[in-house]
Amino acid sequence: MIKLENVYKSFGKLEVLKNINLEVTKGEVVCIIGPSGSGKSTLLRCLNHLERITEGRTIIDGELIDEKVKGKDSLKISPKKVALVCAELGMVFQRFNLFPHLTVLENIIEAPLTVKKIAREIVMEEATLLLKKVGLEDKKDEYPSRLSGGQQQRVAIARALAMNPKIMLFDEPTSALDPELVGEVLEVMKQLARDGMTMLVVTHEMGFAREVANRIIFMDQGQIIEDSSPEEIFSNPRQERTKSFLQKIL
Amino acid sequence: MGLQKIITAMPALLQGAGLTILLTLVSIFFGLILGLLLALGRLSKNAFFDRLSQFYIWLFRGTPLLLQIFFIYYALPTFTPITFDALPTAFIALSLNSGAYLAEIIRAAIQSIDKGQMEAAKALGMRYTQAMRRIVIPQSYRRLIPPTGNEFIALLKDSSLVSVIAMTELMRTTSLLSNSSGNAVYYIPCALLYLAMTTIFTFVFSKLEKKYSISE
């Protein structure tokens, strides 16, 4: 579903990603952990073109969507195509980024209506189902500012799901939440994993990673240091850096 | 004494005030459209549009409105075949001028919207123009209203400058009345009418601001 080949990304002189090679197959739940500034979020953002890579190739669902050779664009992708591929990747942000001028329901139906141009009745029906799924059907006419952080993030998940994505990207979805609200968001994500969604999750929730992930990737200083199963990474990390990181946070 | 004169002159003064309001409303309307285009130019990644907008704003904010009015009315016909009557000149000059000021107001309002909004819209598959139109610009309305209200009030008063090309708006009506009668009492109702207009529109703008702040 996702393939990164020799991906580099720099902001000016700062190299944020160095030679990233990664493959995620259908139905896999992959958690990315690591210290802040290790490039975890940038890696996610390169997948849906919120950032453009400076070297390498990214392939989503068999489509080559970004290719840079020696810093030059060797592939012309139309903005239309980019938008189309991005729509197959649902993204959930750390700070929710709900549209504050729209109600909960309007947040969810906006993209299916205006991007996919699906009939309103169908979109409304799906939105209602999604709201039920995240447990917020009674909040559909509220504005986001009236909701708690946990509720806002669940709406954001429903909003992303409304586009029927093949892959869900989570960028530290619980980091901006009060501790008592983390559980309700993780619960929705677990349900999603059980339903077989392909997920790439940047997180600091080690309990969630251990329980739900098929694979865990440890990143440090823009590189993938370790890529293995949760059992192995938590009980028997191969790399020194992984070990010292886990010791600090567990 | 004066009161009787004022009452007799009231229809003329009100007619002048009506033209003042018309000039302001029409100019702010076209100014907003022009301002939005210029603001989008300033925010565009395309250097040409950015420069063009910058140049325009530089030109129209950097010269007096009075000069712009004279230029369009008197200078333009001397070296181009274009001639405008007084009324179109007034509309054009006020619109072009307010467009430059509104451009910077709109640009600032759009830039003040959290970058995460554009990112969320793009992540949902929206194109730049779509995300701007549906997500970013609607959110900028509320922040746009107070400074636009300021600009509106300023424009309402600045519209008195078109009296120099014989537009009988409130200011010119008043000076004609006092000149012909040799009595300066007409400046009192003139001031009161300006105050009434600015008060009403200040009220309208504060209502608008309330209306657009429900969601925040």
Side-chain angles (χ1 to χ4, degrees):
Chain A
M1 290 298 268
I2 301 175
K3 203 169 178 192
L4 299 180
E5 292 175 0
N6 309 317
V7 166
Y8 288 79
K9 168 72 190 172
S10 13
F11 295 109
K13 284 217 165 77
L14 185 72
E15 269 205 323
V16 189
L17 295 177
K18 290 174 218 162
N19 195 24
I20 300 287
N21 285 285
L22 174 67
E23 199 164 343
V24 178
T25 57
K26 196 168 159 40
E28 241 186 332
V29 177
V30 177
C31 283
I32 307 176
I33 62 172
S36 54
S38 57
K40 311 182 296 285
S41 294
T42 308
L43 192 151
L44 282 198
R45 294 162 59 84
C46 282
L47 292 173
N48 62 358
H49 278 218
L50 290 182
E51 307 289 353
R52 298 297 296 273
I53 60 174
T54 32
E55 191 69 37
R57 281 146 66 90
T58 58
I59 298 157
I60 305 289
D61 200 19
E63 295 272 9
L64 182 61
I65 65 148
D66 210 352
E67 185 173 35
K68 293 271 169 63
V69 181
K70 298 208 190 319
K72 281 238 185 310
D73 233 328
S74 52
L75 169 92
K76 287 277 168 252
I77 319 162
S78 72
K80 206 170 176 176
K81 186 74 175 288
V82 172
L84 225 63
V85 176
C86 290
E88 288 187 6
L89 297 165
M91 190 168 205
V92 174
F93 299 86
Q94 181 177 356
R95 305 202 48 88
F96 329 132
N97 295 352
L98 289 178
F99 306 134
H101 62 305
L102 302 179
T103 64
V104 165
L105 185 69
E106 288 166 344
N107 261 277
I108 296 174
I109 64 177
E110 175 66 30
L113 282 180
T114 62
V115 177
K116 284 195 162 174
K117 312 225 186 291
I118 300 173
R120 199 176 178 90
E121 313 86 78
I122 301 172
V123 174
M124 292 290 266
E125 206 171 303
E126 271 195 14
T128 314
L129 284 176
L130 283 168
L131 278 171
K132 207 169 275 177
K133 192 169 180 173
V134 299
L136 290 170
E137 61 267 56
D138 54 327
K139 301 285 185 201
K140 69 179 171 60
D141 296 320
E142 294 280 8
Y143 282 97
S145 58
R146 304 286 294 269
L147 305 182
S148 75
Q151 291 170 333
Q152 288 192 47
Q153 194 60 302
R154 285 187 280 153
V155 173
I157 293 173
R159 179 178 70 176
L161 290 174
M163 288 297 279
N164 250 317
K166 294 183 180 160
I167 301 160
M168 283 289 281
L169 309 174
F170 291 87
D171 188 3
E172 300 197 26
T174 58
S175 299
L177 295 177
D178 291 336
E180 76 272 21
L181 302 175
V182 170
E184 60 189 70
V185 172
L186 292 182
E187 205 39 61
V188 171
M189 291 168 64
K190 280 178 200 169
Q191 185 56 48
L192 214 50
R194 281 196 287 271
D195 294 347
M197 176 64 78
T198 310
M199 290 161 67
L200 199 50
V201 185
V202 172
T203 188
H204 293 295
E205 294 294 329
M206 295 304 146
F208 173 82
R210 192 196 290 256
E211 186 186 332
V212 183
N214 306 108
R215 261 162 72 201
I216 294 188
I217 286 168
F218 173 67
M219 284 184 72
D220 193 17
Q221 295 178 355
Q223 288 173 307
I224 294 181
I225 306 294
E226 196 157 343
D227 178 350
S228 49
S229 70
E231 300 81 49
E232 200 163 303
I233 223 162
F234 285 116
S235 55
N236 188 22
R238 274 170 290 174
Q239 301 288 334
E240 227 15 77
R241 270 197 270 181
T242 319
K243 214 178 282 178
S244 76
F245 173 74
L246 288 172
Q247 265 163 9
K248 263 179 249 161
I249 60 155
L250 287 179
Chain B
M1 39 146 258
L3 194 61
Q4 192 50 49
K5 282 197 162 108
I6 291 172
I7 291 168
T8 339
M10 221 42 198
L13 288 169
L14 283 172
Q15 204 177 0
L19 182 56
T20 293
I21 291 175
L22 180 72
L23 282 168
T24 311
L25 286 175
V26 171
S27 307
I28 207 92
F29 175 75
F30 287 109
L32 278 169
I33 294 173
L34 182 62
L36 177 63
L37 293 175
L38 290 165
L40 291 173
R42 289 283 280 115
L43 295 168
S44 161
K45 281 192 191 117
N46 184 319
F48 173 74
F49 289 129
D50 184 12
R51 289 284 167 77
L52 192 69
S53 296
Q54 276 186 44
F55 175 77
Y56 180 95
I57 294 163
W58 172 78
L59 189 68
F60 279 88
R61 285 203 313 186
T63 53
L65 175 57
L66 193 56
L67 171 67
Q68 292 162 19
I69 295 165
F70 280 141
F71 192 90
I72 295 170
Y73 196 58
Y74 295 117
L76 219 50
T78 62
F79 58 90
T80 66
I82 308 167
T83 17
F84 290 115
D85 289 339
L87 186 65
T89 301
F91 283 136
I92 292 168
L94 292 172
S95 302
L96 293 180
N97 185 270
S98 70
Y101 285 94
L102 289 165
E104 291 295 88
I105 291 173
I106 295 170
R107 178 181 65 87
I110 289 175
Q111 276 180 330
S112 75
I113 303 301
D114 181 17
K115 259 181 31 218
Q117 293 291 311
M118 178 55 94
E119 291 188 346
K122 280 191 174 168
L124 286 166
M126 290 191 207
R127 304 276 304 274
Y128 176 83
T129 43
Q130 203 174 13
M132 271 295 187
R133 199 165 48 84
R134 303 279 311 176
I135 305 300
V136 178
I137 292 175
Q139 287 183 55
S140 69
Y141 290 159
R142 200 189 68 90
R143 293 173 202 193
L144 214 64
I145 291 165
T148 303
N150 262 341
E151 174 59 23
F152 188 93
I153 300 294
L155 188 64
L156 191 130
K157 294 178 293 174
D158 285 349
S159 68
S160 61
L161 288 171
V162 300
S163 60
V164 297
I165 51 169
M167 290 296 300
T168 43
E169 41 66 72
L170 181 54
M171 196 62 216
R172 184 167 163 85
T173 308
T174 311
S175 34
L176 286 176
L177 282 167
S178 10
N179 290 346
S180 63
S181 68
N183 191 333
V185 72
Y186 301 106
Y187 287 105
I188 296 171
C190 172
L192 292 176
L193 279 171
Y194 271 113
L195 280 171
M197 289 188 287
T198 51
T199 307
I200 290 166
F201 284 110
T202 305
F203 177 75
V204 169
F205 274 94
S206 72
K207 277 279 174 218
L208 275 177
E209 196 181 340
K210 278 219 183 74
K211 184 180 163 229
Y212 278 100
S213 60
I214 340 162
S215 58
E216 282 187 36

